[in-house]
């Protein structure tokens, strides 16, 4: 339901678009927001329920906070580094392409970290330490620091581990996409 409008469980908008689009000679692609887990302006989504621990931990303005508390950002993004999150998302993609074998393609959106300041959870910091060959997980301020400029606006500055941190994040997304594509192609 949204803003008082409810749809029945058997309402299938995409099925209609596929059927009608193909009748018109169009190709129809499905698009999914992969690592989206909620909407922070409406406090809705799985990050507001039993999957709250899957949300990104943000290092923003010098503090570690759950993404659901960052009300200037509507995205309730999940931590792409959690294996359970990846498995969950791949199961959704698998179900999607199984249900809609007539789709001409699939588009992944929001298959990323939410921002430069996400995800600084203990899991991500420990995984990064293993990736980077560090003896222990770095502190967030060893990756980047926050400061206020002359106008009082918060800014971040890269620190010692920043570039390798960006590489680790890119590899995490790359590896997820490879696994997701393999699963989707194995189904259809």
């Amino acid at each position: 339901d949204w803003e008082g409008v409810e749809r029945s469980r058997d309402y299938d908008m995409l099925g209609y678009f596929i059927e009608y689009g193909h009748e018109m000679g169009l190709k129809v692609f499905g698009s999914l927001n992969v690592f989206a887990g909620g909407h922070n302006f409406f406090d809705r989504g799985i990050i507001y329920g039993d999957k709250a621990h899957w949300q990104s931990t943000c290092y923003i303005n010098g503090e570690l906070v759950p993404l659901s508390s960052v009300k200037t950002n509507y995205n309730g993004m999940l931590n792409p580094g959690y294996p359970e999150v990846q498995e969950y998302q791949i199961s959704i993609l698998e179900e999607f392409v199984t249900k809609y074998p007539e789709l001409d393609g699939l588009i992944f959106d929001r298959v990323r970290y939410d921002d430069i300041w996400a995800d600084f959870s203990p899991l991500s910091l420990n995984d990064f330490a293993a990736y980077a060959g560090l003896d222990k997980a770095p502190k967030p301020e060893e990756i980047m620091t926050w400061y206020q400029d002359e106008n009082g606006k918060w800014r971040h500055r890269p620190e010692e581990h920043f570039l390798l941190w960006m590489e680790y994040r890119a590899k995490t997304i790359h590896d997820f996409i490879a696994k997701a594509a393999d699963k989707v192609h194995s189904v259809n």
Side-chain angles (χ1 to χ4, degrees):
D1 73 283
W2 185 254
E3 295 184 351
V5 177
E6 290 190 34
R7 301 277 185 217
S8 77
R9 301 287 277 163
D10 60 351
Y11 180 73
D12 187 5
M13 184 186 302
L14 181 57
Y16 173 77
F17 273 90
I18 293 169
E19 180 182 339
Y20 191 68
H22 285 171
E23 284 177 13
M24 294 180 64
L26 300 172
K27 289 189 175 189
V28 180
F29 290 74
S31 178
L32 293 126
N33 290 327
V34 176
F35 289 122
H39 197 302
N40 282 343
F41 292 171
F42 297 98
D43 295 346
R44 292 181 67 170
I46 63 173
I47 66 167
Y48 289 95
D50 64 340
K51 305 297 186 214
H53 62 287
W54 284 1
Q55 70 182 292
S56 286
T57 299
C58 301
Y59 178 54
I60 187 167
N61 302 342
E63 296 182 50
L64 288 171
V65 297
L67 183 60
S68 59
S69 71
V70 182
K71 297 304 183 184
T72 56
N73 182 7
Y74 74 89
N75 284 322
M77 298 287 283
L78 305 172
N79 176 358
Y82 275 119
E84 299 88 357
V85 167
Q86 291 190 16
E87 291 167 15
Y88 174 77
Q89 296 301 333
I90 289 172
S91 74
I92 290 172
L93 296 170
E94 179 181 21
E95 179 181 346
F96 192 79
V97 297
T98 298
K99 183 172 180 172
Y100 297 105
E102 315 84 22
L103 275 175
D104 295 297
L106 188 59
I107 300 167
F108 295 170
D109 196 0
R110 302 219 190 293
V111 60
R112 60 177 170 79
Y113 287 85
D114 187 51
D115 205 313
I116 196 76
W117 33 260
D119 178 277
F120 285 81
S121 66
L123 177 129
S124 293
L125 292 169
N126 284 320
D127 283 354
F128 170 67
Y131 175 79
L134 303 174
D135 293 334
K136 62 179 181 162
K139 295 177 183 172
E141 57 269 18
E142 293 174 312
I143 296 170
M144 66 184 204
T145 51
W146 286 92
Y147 66 96
Q148 287 182 292
D149 67 15
E150 62 278 355
N151 298 316
K153 184 171 181 176
W154 284 99
R155 307 262 184 207
H156 66 274
R157 175 179 27 251
E159 296 298 345
E160 175 186 3
H161 299 299
F162 185 80
L163 291 178
L164 201 51
W165 175 253
M166 293 292 103
E167 181 180 302
Y168 156 76
R169 288 167 37 121
K171 183 177 182 342
T172 299
I173 299 302
H174 171 276
D175 292 352
F176 169 79
I177 290 175
K179 285 189 285 189
D182 286 348
K183 176 53 78 176
V184 165
H185 291 136
S186 76
V187 172
N188 183 0

